[in-house]
Amino acid sequence: MKPAILMKYALELYSSFNPKTQTLDSYLSDTLGDCDSSTAPPSNITLKQILYSVVRFKPGIAAFLKHYFYDNAGSVLRADYDMYAIMLCLCLFRIEDIGFEQFSVFCMCEEPTKMAAFLGYLFDTSDKSPVQCSVKQEWCKHYDVTYIEKELIAKITSLENDMKGLINKLVSKAQGMVAAQEEKEKKAQIVVTKSKGTVPVPFNITKPRPRRVPEPMRINNDVKVGNEPDYLDRTSLEEIEAEKAARLEDVRLQTRKKYEESKEQPFKFHETRSNIDEVRREIEERREAELQFDASHRKPLPDFKRFNATVKLNAAAILREDALFKKKQAEEAKLIQNYEEELRDSTEFYRWRNTMEEHDHLMKMEQVKSKRMQAVASAQNAKDAKYRQFVDNKAVADLIKEEGGLIGQQRVLEKEKDVVINRQLVKEIKEVEEKAPRKAEAKVFRERQQVRKTQKEELHEAWEKKLQEDEVEQRRKMDKIMQLRTHIVHKPEVKVFDPTTCAGLGLLDEMSLVEMEERLKINQTREKNEEMEKRRAIIAERSIKQAQLSQRINNIKRIREAAKTSNMEARQQKKMNEKLKAEREEQALRVKEVALAAKLMEEREERKMEMGSLMDEEERRKKNQMFQGAATHQVEETHYDQLLLGREREAKQRKERAQSAALVYEQTKVVARNVVEKETRTKVAAKKKLYKQKDDEIKEKRQDLLLKNKAEVATKKYKFAVTRQKEKEIKAMTVDRNVYAQTINDMSLTLAKTHEARRSKNNVANFLMSD
């Protein structure tokens, strides 16, 4: 599709789009069809992208065009608003996508004078240009300052040189079109005069000081992303499990070594008798004595066996419990039906299902392991692909740089060529402008004289004709007035209203006043009867619902009683089974204790006999040593026996200290628990106080915000009133400074009022003539 036709279609699409009645997607699907398919024409895709862009950046486009139309009100048309919006979107927001060459083609399709003025206004990068001052302030209402400076204004600055070349082309084209038109008129021997236009002079009004742009709030948009974790490449599940097992084994060996190589003397278990059980029993008895399980309550507990608790059920609770009972009945009936039809239970199915679930879990773990390995491989592939993409992009960038240099040289040559052509055109245009205007002015002056003479004669003839018509009309009106004066005045007629008659117009719904009142009474009586019938139906329906609820309540009570009985029996049976089980366990334990006691007695007797034999043997050996003069060895043995007794006393004292320390620990624990509870209560109270303070602070801030909003509204109203007063003063000043224009306006209003009065007078006369 040609660019001119494409721009025409885009302008029609945007002009006919109404977001209040239809969404953008539905509008495009109705007008262009499916643009996302592979068979869609490229022109439709381009039109869709253009319309999406214009709608998306509409606030920024509207802000710019507002100032553009205001600053160039005498040279732009309001009808070209949509065209300017599309061109601004293409050159400011989509220039990277379509390219500068394609944008130049789109600009050449429009009127060159309009596009030259538009691009010159947009790409003016001076410090006092509208884009740097007023338009930038307007853009700050919709976009961030960083985006405006780094994207929009930076793009305008970067495209300034290219756009100046395009503007020169558009000016040359406009001048060429004017020269061609003049050449065409010259060939057709038609001379058109070029009168000097009125040069508007602006009022000497004090320029408003530009509004100060508030300093934007700095928003930190930095996203810190760390390096990609590489621990998956260094380990696996097997290695982690192996390290865990080795660490547990090391801890186990170190613990065992610590107790085996202890400097303290190890305890001699099973060698000395201990009274730890008796001490533990005494401590437990003393603690149980401190408990008060039999203490009387301040208020006796209610006896629930004598009376039942009153529970009030609403309709929702009754229906819910009834539905639950029916659901259970349906499930039980379904189980019974399945058992009757299939003659088997579902135990085997559940066993098979559990087995398959375990198998699925194992398969899932295998899949997770394989996916993890695949993730490692895909990460490596992504790294390789990223490096290859970097190399390819670098090569493409080098080629683009070389191509850009060649294009720049070609652009310089084209600019030089355009400058030569423009100079030649300017020279030719100056030669034409020196001779043609004088001839055209003389010809037009002669033609105007002839036209003035002709119009003056026609106006004189029309004035005489109008005087004759007014005279005839005046005579006719006087005759009509005389006729009216001679007519006889009609007598007034008295009409009597009959409520039993109708209008008699022949309509289907005609009726007299009496009939209407009777029908109204009948309708009121029928409505009252219908209301009473509806009330009786509602009462009957409520009674039926109440009966159904009563029936369901009785059914629920019966079900509850049955469930209570069955639950009580089940609890009693459970208690009995537990008691029997405990008795069986106790009996088996007693049997084992008796067997253990007998075995211990046998072992004790054997040890006693062995110790007796050993003592006899030791006594005999000592006697032999005494007889042999070995008393020194006996003294040493006695010494070591005394050391052993001392160690035994030391162990006993250490045990007593440990017991006292345990008692102190328990007491300290109770004190610490009390302190923690006290601190918890203090923290809860502080938190409540803090929440209350926050609520009060929020209320105060809300009140302040309300007052602030009211103050802002009052300020806005005041500013609006001041602005309106200034507008009135400016309007009055304009009238004072341009008295001629105001006089013309007053004359136009006077003529319009005179014409309207004359037209009304003619209408009255025509009405009288028709009578």
Side-chain angles (χ1 to χ4, degrees):
M1 185 181 292
K2 293 183 180 180
I5 301 175
L6 185 66
M7 289 300 296
K8 181 180 178 182
Y9 285 164
L11 184 60
E12 291 178 356
L13 278 176
Y14 181 63
S15 301
S16 58
F17 171 61
N18 187 6
K20 295 182 180 179
T21 59
Q22 197 173 12
T23 61
L24 183 58
D25 293 331
S26 61
Y27 173 71
L28 289 175
S29 61
D30 293 341
T31 55
L32 300 179
D34 188 8
C35 297
D36 298 331
S37 62
S38 58
T39 58
S43 59
N44 290 356
I45 298 174
T46 305
L47 292 172
K48 179 181 178 181
Q49 293 177 355
I50 291 173
L51 190 57
Y52 266 110
S53 302
V54 176
V55 174
R56 177 187 176 188
F57 300 107
K58 188 175 182 180
I61 295 171
F64 176 83
L65 293 179
K66 173 184 174 183
H67 290 274
Y68 178 70
F69 275 85
Y70 181 78
D71 296 338
N72 302 278
S75 59
V76 294
L77 297 177
R78 193 68 186 177
D80 297 333
Y81 185 89
D82 296 340
M83 184 270 291
Y84 286 127
I86 294 172
M87 296 306 298
L88 178 62
C89 176
L90 293 178
C91 70
L92 197 59
F93 298 101
R94 298 301 297 273
I95 190 69
E96 295 89 351
D97 300 334
I98 63 176
F100 180 74
E101 297 297 333
Q102 186 63 34
F103 176 71
S104 302
V105 174
F106 286 146
C107 290
M108 291 296 179
C109 296
E110 301 296 335
E111 292 186 16
T113 54
K114 295 180 181 180
M115 295 310 302
F118 175 71
L119 295 177
Y121 184 86
L122 175 60
F123 289 94
D124 184 6
T125 58
S126 59
D127 295 336
K128 296 183 179 179
S129 62
V131 176
Q132 295 289 345
C133 298
S134 57
V135 176
K136 183 179 178 181
Q137 294 179 6
E138 193 71 23
W139 276 343
C140 288
K141 297 179 181 178
H142 307 285
Y143 304 114
D144 188 52
V145 178
T146 305
Y147 172 76
I148 295 170
E149 293 179 350
K150 293 186 178 180
E151 294 293 334
L152 301 181
I153 297 179
K155 189 180 297 182
I156 291 172
T157 306
S158 62
L159 295 174
E160 181 182 5
N161 297 328
D162 297 337
M163 289 299 173
K164 285 183 178 178
L166 180 58
I167 291 170
N168 293 332
K169 289 183 181 179
L170 291 170
V171 172
S172 301
K173 183 179 178 182
Q175 293 175 353
M177 292 173 64
V178 172
Q181 182 68 20
E182 291 179 353
E183 186 66 25
K184 186 176 180 181
E185 292 176 355
K186 186 176 181 180
K187 290 181 180 179
Q189 295 181 357
I190 298 174
V191 180
V192 180
T193 59
K194 293 185 178 179
S195 60
K196 187 176 181 180
T198 303
V199 179
V201 179
F203 300 112
N204 189 13
I205 301 174
T206 304
K207 294 184 178 180
R209 185 171 56 186
R211 188 177 60 181
R212 184 179 179 184
V213 180
E215 184 177 356
M217 182 179 61
R218 186 178 296 278
I219 300 174
N220 188 11
N221 294 329
D222 298 338
V223 179
K224 295 182 180 180
V225 180
N227 297 328
E228 184 179 357
D230 55 351
Y231 58 86
L232 296 176
D233 302 333
R234 299 195 305 266
T235 183
S236 62
L237 289 175
E238 292 79 3
E239 294 178 0
I240 293 172
E241 293 294 335
E243 291 177 359
K244 182 179 177 182
R247 187 169 60 255
L248 291 176
E249 187 64 27
D250 292 339
V251 172
R252 190 180 294 109
L253 292 175
Q254 291 177 4
T255 305
R256 184 177 298 172
K257 185 177 180 181
K258 181 178 72 174
Y259 287 106
E260 289 177 354
E261 298 177 358
S262 177
K263 295 181 181 180
E264 300 291 337
Q265 180 182 2
F267 292 100
K268 298 179 180 180
F269 299 107
H270 305 293
E271 294 182 3
T272 58
R273 298 187 64 182
S274 176
N275 59 348
I276 187 68
D277 296 333
E278 295 178 1
V279 174
R280 184 183 295 111
R281 191 181 304 110
E282 291 177 1
I283 293 172
E284 290 178 356
E285 289 177 357
R286 187 165 58 253
R287 290 179 179 176
E288 289 177 359
E290 296 176 357
L291 301 177
Q292 298 178 0
F293 290 108
D294 299 333
S296 61
H297 296 282
R298 183 176 299 176
K299 184 178 180 180
L301 297 175
D303 189 4
F304 293 103
K305 295 181 180 180
R306 292 189 304 170
F307 58 88
N308 295 327
T310 57
V311 179
K312 185 177 180 180
L313 298 177
N314 54 8
I318 296 168
L319 295 175
R320 193 184 302 114
E321 191 167 356
D322 186 65
L324 181 63
F325 173 66
K326 290 182 179 179
K327 183 179 179 181
K328 289 183 179 179
Q329 281 185 339
E331 291 177 355
E332 292 176 358
K334 186 176 180 180
L335 289 175
I336 295 171
Q337 184 179 1
N338 291 337
Y339 185 75
E340 290 177 354
E341 292 177 353
E342 300 176 1
L343 297 179
R344 66 182 180 86
D345 56 358
S346 58
T347 307
E348 184 178 356
F349 166 71
Y350 290 122
R351 188 185 299 111
W352 169 81
R353 188 179 67 179
N354 295 332
T355 305
M356 294 306 295
E357 287 179 354
E358 293 178 358
H359 180 265
D360 293 341
H361 180 68
L362 295 175
M363 294 296 294
K364 186 177 180 181
M365 295 302 294
E366 291 293 334
Q367 291 177 0
V368 170
K369 185 177 179 181
S370 63
K371 286 182 179 180
R372 187 170 296 167
M373 299 302 293
Q374 291 175 4
V376 174
S378 63
Q380 186 63 31
N381 294 334
K383 290 180 180 179
D384 297 340
K386 186 176 181 181
Y387 179 73
R388 290 195 299 270
Q389 183 69 22
F390 174 74
V391 174
D392 296 340
N393 290 342
K394 187 175 181 182
V396 173
D398 294 338
L399 293 175
I400 290 173
K401 286 181 181 179
E402 295 177 0
E403 186 177 355
L406 297 175
I407 292 172
Q409 296 176 3
Q410 185 180 359
R411 189 183 297 114
V412 171
L413 295 175
E414 290 179 354
K415 287 183 179 179
E416 294 177 356
K417 180 182 176 182
D418 294 338
V419 169
V420 173
I421 294 172
N422 292 337
R423 287 177 180 174
Q424 184 65 26
L425 289 173
V426 170
K427 186 177 180 181
E428 294 175 357
I429 290 169
K430 286 184 177 179
E431 291 178 356
V432 173
E433 287 180 352
E434 291 175 355
K435 300 178 181 179
R438 307 287 82 80
K439 297 179 180 179
E441 287 177 0
K443 183 178 179 181
V444 170
F445 181 74
R446 291 192 298 270
E447 290 178 354
R448 286 183 177 178
Q449 284 183 344
Q450 185 65 29
V451 170
R452 188 184 301 111
K453 185 177 180 181
T454 305
Q455 289 181 353
K456 191 173 182 180
E457 294 176 355
E458 291 177 355
L459 185 61
H460 183 69
E461 293 176 359
W463 180 254
E464 292 180 352
K465 185 177 180 181
K466 182 71 171 80
L467 291 176
Q468 294 176 2
E469 291 178 355
D470 291 342
E471 187 178 356
V472 173
E473 183 68 19
Q474 186 67 23
R475 287 198 300 269
R476 189 186 64 80
K477 288 180 181 179
M478 293 302 295
D479 294 340
K480 191 69 176 178
I481 291 170
M482 294 301 293
Q483 292 177 6
L484 288 174
R485 287 178 179 177
T486 57
H487 288 173
I488 299 172
V489 180
H490 296 281
K491 295 180 181 180
E493 296 181 1
V494 180
K495 294 184 178 180
V496 180
F497 174 69
D498 188 4
T500 59
T501 59
C502 59
L505 300 177
L507 302 177
L508 296 176
D509 54 352
E510 285 185 353
M511 64 180 70
S512 61
L513 179 61
V514 176
E515 184 180 358
M516 183 184 69
E517 291 177 353
E518 291 296 328
R519 290 193 179 187
L520 184 60
K521 291 180 181 179
I522 293 170
N523 291 335
Q524 290 176 353
T525 306
R526 184 173 66 253
E527 288 178 357
K528 287 183 180 179
N529 294 333
E530 291 177 356
E531 183 179 357
M532 294 300 296
E533 289 294 332
K534 190 175 291 185
R535 288 180 184 277
R536 284 195 292 271
I538 292 172
I539 293 171
E541 185 178 357
R542 287 181 180 177
S543 62
I544 292 170
K545 286 184 179 179
Q546 191 66 28
Q548 291 177 356
L549 286 177
S550 301
Q551 184 179 359
R552 289 180 179 176
I553 290 171
N554 297 330
N555 190 19
I556 289 170
K557 289 182 179 179
R558 181 178 57 79
I559 294 167
R560 285 184 177 179
E561 291 294 334
K564 180 180 178 181
T565 305
S566 62
N567 292 336
M568 188 179 296
E569 292 177 356
R571 285 196 296 271
Q572 292 177 358
Q573 186 66 29
K574 184 178 179 181
K575 289 181 180 179
M576 190 179 296
N577 293 335
E578 290 179 354
K579 186 176 181 181
L580 292 175
K581 184 178 179 181
E583 290 178 356
R584 286 196 298 268
E585 291 178 354
E586 187 177 358
Q587 186 176 2
L589 183 62
R590 288 176 181 175
V591 172
K592 290 181 181 180
E593 287 180 353
V594 171
L596 181 61
K599 185 178 179 180
L600 293 175
M601 186 63 70
E602 291 178 0
E603 291 179 355
R604 195 177 291 113
E605 292 294 333
E606 290 177 359
R607 192 179 297 109
K608 188 175 180 182
M609 291 175 64
E610 185 178 357
M611 291 297 294
S613 61
L614 290 175
M615 289 176 67
D616 294 341
E617 182 66 24
E618 183 68 19
E619 188 177 357
R620 187 179 59 78
R621 187 179 62 79
K622 288 181 180 180
K623 286 180 180 180
N624 291 334
Q625 288 179 355
M626 290 175 63
F627 286 118
Q628 295 175 2
T632 305
H633 183 69
Q634 180 66 31
V635 173
E636 187 177 357
E637 287 184 356
T638 305
H639 175 68
Y640 281 112
D641 290 339
Q642 292 296 326
L643 289 176
L644 290 174
L645 292 174
R647 291 295 178 89
E648 185 177 357
R649 288 192 298 273
E650 184 180 356
K652 186 175 181 181
Q653 293 175 1
R654 191 161 56 246
K655 182 181 68 174
E656 291 176 355
R657 287 196 298 271
Q659 290 175 355
S660 61
L663 183 60
V664 172
Y665 172 75
E666 292 294 334
Q667 294 176 356
T668 307
K669 193 174 180 181
V670 171
V671 174
R673 187 182 300 110
N674 294 332
V675 172
V676 170
E677 292 177 356
K678 185 177 179 180
E679 290 181 354
T680 304
R681 289 193 296 270
T682 305
K683 289 181 180 179
V684 170
K687 189 180 290 185
K688 289 182 179 179
K689 185 177 180 181
L690 179 62
Y691 287 164
K692 187 177 179 181
Q693 292 178 357
K694 292 290 184 183
D695 293 338
D696 297 339
E697 186 177 354
I698 289 170
K699 289 180 181 178
E700 292 178 359
K701 289 184 178 180
R702 188 176 294 149
Q703 189 70 20
D704 294 341
L705 183 60
L706 183 61
L707 295 175
K708 186 177 179 181
N709 292 335
K710 289 182 178 179
E712 289 180 356
V713 171
T715 305
K716 290 180 180 178
K717 288 182 178 179
Y718 174 72
K719 290 182 179 179
F720 179 75
V722 170
T723 306
R724 177 172 288 180
Q725 184 64 28
K726 287 183 178 180
E727 289 179 354
K728 290 181 179 179
E729 293 176 357
I730 290 170
K731 187 175 180 181
M733 189 184 299
T734 304
V735 172
D736 294 338
R737 292 188 177 183
N738 197 351
V739 180
Y740 176 73
Q742 185 63 27
T743 305
I744 296 300
N745 290 335
D746 295 339
M747 290 176 63
S748 300
L749 291 173
T750 305
L751 291 173
K753 292 178 180 179
T754 305
H755 178 69
E756 182 66 23
R758 188 179 297 168
R759 190 170 62 84
S760 301
K761 187 176 181 181
N762 293 335
N763 292 334
V764 172
N766 293 331
F767 176 75
L768 294 174
M769 288 177 64
S770 62
D771 293 339

